[in-house]
Amino acid sequence: MTTMTDTSNAARFREFKMPDVGEGLTEAEILKWYVQPGDTVTDGQVVCEVETAKAAVELPIPFDGVVHELRFPEGTTVDVGQVIIAVDVAPGSGDAAPAAEPAPVAQPEPEPEAPKGRQPVLVGYGVSESSTKRRARKGTAAAVPAAAAAIQGEMNGHGAVVPESRPLAKPPVRKLAKDLGIDLATVVPTGEGGIITREDVHAAATPVPAQAPAPIAAAPVAAGAAPETPAPAVVTTVGARETRIPVKGVRKAIAQAMVGSAFTAPHVTEFVTVDVTRTMKLVAELKEDKDMAGVRVNPLLIIAKALLVAIKRNPEVNAAWDEANQEIVQKHYVNLGIAAATPRGLIVPNIKDAHEQTLPQLAASLGELVSTAREGKTSPAAMAGGTVTITNVGVFGVDTGTPILNPGESAILAVGAIKLQPWVHKGKVKPRQVTTLALSFDHRLVDGELGSKVLADVAAILEQPKRLITWA
């Protein structure tokens, strides 16, 4: 039965949930709070910065009021759809506090319901609710569904019900405990629903002076009390020989993307070594050109333009494999990805419709892309929809490599270090500026002949940059 107080609380306090800030993302880490309880906020004001699997994003709040409660501390990874902040939208109207959510009670197992659709959130759409129902065990009505859901999500919807006598922990955590020789029955859980986390296992392996974690509450939480939050993942040192770093955010996305790409698309990599002395002379001349004033001119600019011309001459390389429909999708546009190393890991933003840009426009786009990536402000949209990528491993002094395709793309060009080397030029051995190019491509889409033509065209342009005019 709903009381008048409950109704007034619901109207007075509004909750802001973690939105899906990118297509299909399911979680994000809270990097920084810009507000604290008691602060006044306005519609559209940025209240926190979060890191998703793709980028760091600032979240604006969609209503006015006074911050009542921050539900999670900085460094916590939060699932999409969870409440992260509560705001008093009618301050000064009394001492009411947000009504606590009623504790779940055990119910008879209902008939299966049809799956609900993805629910709209602030940006994009949240994850679909699971239609799977599990019977609650006696005495653990609140803890078991949450634990089962977490384990089930870990196993992609096929987790088994954990026996009552067995501590609640995900498979990777059980393996970690086994490797460290820790008995899970002796570990105090701090995860939501009584689940043992990696941090709990590390704490048991290497005890440090700290406040003891609160035991699982047996009594109901009072209205307005802050809910228990999982401890944020931290870098943990085991003894003096190992350091364990939680895999999350951009690093987690990189790992998943690279494994998926390497074991889905059959990679072929071809190499060519080319004399780029004339290209380096062109770069020096462009730096003095008034039409290029205000933009950064470097060899990557000419290499990017060379690849765009090569794609124009060999448009079949710019494609994608549609596994579901068993179709090859030819792209009549080029969104040119540039692999960028950032403090948070490797990201690949892309320049939309790069094939339509002039050289000065391309230079400006490259400069903006790199600076935004270094600041950690690249948006998820900037990393979506790429068709072909360039990775410049030469900046690290590396001669070449065998790059892995960005998922959904057909080719990636690796550029090695440009070095002064002895080279046969006009019948004589002379010191020349030389580099090695490597082109990896999806052999389902690109056969050896097509891949070789694209790589040969890029090399030919870098050797004779005037081909940018004659071939374009």
Side-chain angles (χ1 to χ4, degrees):
M1 180 176 180
T2 303
T3 65
M4 185 176 296
T5 302
D6 293 336
T7 303
S8 62
N9 285 349
R12 176 176 171 181
F13 292 93
R14 296 188 63 180
E15 297 175 330
F16 179 54
K17 299 179 179 180
M18 176 68 74
D20 179 3
V21 293
E23 289 301 321
L25 297 179
T26 60
E27 63 183 19
E29 179 188 354
I30 297 176
L31 294 180
K32 183 177 182 180
W33 282 109
Y34 295 122
V35 295
Q36 295 297 326
D39 291 351
T40 300
V41 293
T42 57
D43 186 358
Q45 178 179 338
V46 173
V47 294
C48 67
E49 181 182 20
V50 301
E51 182 183 46
T52 70
K54 294 184 177 180
V57 181
E58 293 182 332
L59 297 183
I61 199 159
F63 40 79
D64 302 334
V66 174
V67 177
H68 175 76
E69 180 184 17
L70 304 181
R71 295 290 177 87
F72 296 94
E74 295 176 355
T76 306
T77 298
V78 181
D79 291 336
V80 167
Q82 281 191 282
V83 176
I84 60 174
I85 183 174
V87 174
D88 185 351
V89 295
S93 60
D95 297 329
E101 295 183 4
V105 295
Q107 298 289 346
E109 187 170 347
E111 293 295 325
E113 298 178 359
K116 297 181 180 179
R118 286 158 61 94
Q119 301 300 315
V121 288
L122 180 63
V123 183
Y125 288 81
V127 234
S128 301
E129 295 183 7
S130 172
S131 62
T132 304
K133 302 290 184 182
R134 292 192 181 274
R135 186 184 302 276
R137 295 199 303 271
K138 295 181 180 180
T140 55
V144 174
I151 297 172
Q152 196 169 358
E154 179 72 17
M155 301 300 291
N156 295 324
H158 300 287
V161 178
V162 181
E164 269 191 84
S165 60
R166 191 182 186 194
L168 298 177
K170 297 179 182 180
V173 177
R174 295 186 181 279
K175 183 178 184 303
L176 173 62
K178 182 179 179 181
D179 293 342
L180 298 179
I182 301 299
D183 183 359
L184 287 177
T186 65
V187 178
V188 179
T190 62
E192 184 176 1
I195 296 178
I196 297 174
T197 66
R198 295 180 66 93
E199 289 67 46
D200 298 334
V201 175
H202 287 311
T206 311
V208 294
Q211 183 179 352
I216 302 175
V221 180
E228 184 179 352
T229 58
V234 295
V235 176
T236 307
T237 301
V238 180
R241 295 168 63 86
E242 293 182 359
T243 298
R244 292 180 177 270
I245 303 173
V247 179
K248 57 184 179 179
V250 175
R251 174 54 56 190
K252 184 176 181 180
I254 294 171
Q256 293 172 342
M258 293 300 96
V259 170
S261 177
F263 291 97
T264 300
H267 284 56
V268 173
T269 305
E270 294 187 339
F271 307 89
V272 64
T273 303
V274 58
D275 177 4
V276 294
T277 304
R278 291 187 178 91
T279 289
M280 298 305 291
K281 290 181 179 179
L282 175 60
V283 169
E285 292 173 1
L286 288 174
K287 287 181 178 180
E288 305 299 326
D289 193 315
K290 63 179 182 180
D291 292 331
M292 302 297 289
V295 296
R296 185 178 181 183
V297 179
N298 55 23
L300 180 61
L301 171 63
I302 307 303
I303 293 167
K305 195 65 176 178
L307 179 58
L308 292 171
V309 172
I311 292 173
K312 183 177 181 180
R313 286 167 54 85
N314 304 276
E316 297 86 357
V317 75
N318 191 41
W321 182 271
D322 186 341
E323 181 66 29
N325 296 314
Q326 288 295 292
E327 294 175 340
I328 294 175
V329 184
Q330 292 282 349
K331 306 292 181 69
H332 304 300
Y333 59 90
V334 182
N335 290 345
L336 181 62
I338 304 295
T342 73
R344 293 192 178 109
L346 177 71
I347 63 173
V348 188
N350 59 75
I351 300 172
K352 310 298 184 187
D353 295 322
H355 63 292
E356 295 180 346
Q357 297 191 3
T358 63
L359 198 63
Q361 291 172 339
L362 188 61
S365 296
L366 281 170
E368 181 181 359
L369 179 149
V370 172
S371 62
T372 302
R374 286 176 177 171
E375 294 170 1
K377 301 299 183 183
T378 303
S379 67
M383 292 182 281
T387 60
V388 177
T389 291
I390 295 176
T391 177
N392 185 10
V393 298
V395 295
F396 307 109
V398 175
D399 290 334
T400 188
T402 54
I404 297 178
L405 293 168
N406 205 29
E409 299 184 8
S410 59
I412 179 171
L413 178 70
V415 182
I418 298 175
K419 298 179 179 180
L420 199 63
Q421 296 183 14
W423 194 263
V424 177
H425 178 69
K426 296 181 179 179
K428 296 181 180 180
V429 177
K430 297 182 179 180
R432 305 286 288 181
Q433 301 273 19
V434 177
T435 190
T436 299
L437 307 175
L439 182 72
S440 291
F441 50 85
D442 186 341
H443 216 349
R444 298 174 299 178
L445 299 162
V446 183
D447 57 25
E449 179 185 11
L450 178 58
S452 299
K453 285 181 177 180
V454 172
L455 185 58
D457 280 356
V458 174
I461 293 171
L462 296 181
E463 189 173 18
Q464 294 282 355
K466 65 181 180 182
R467 291 191 172 104
L468 286 173
I469 301 174
T470 58
W471 285 0

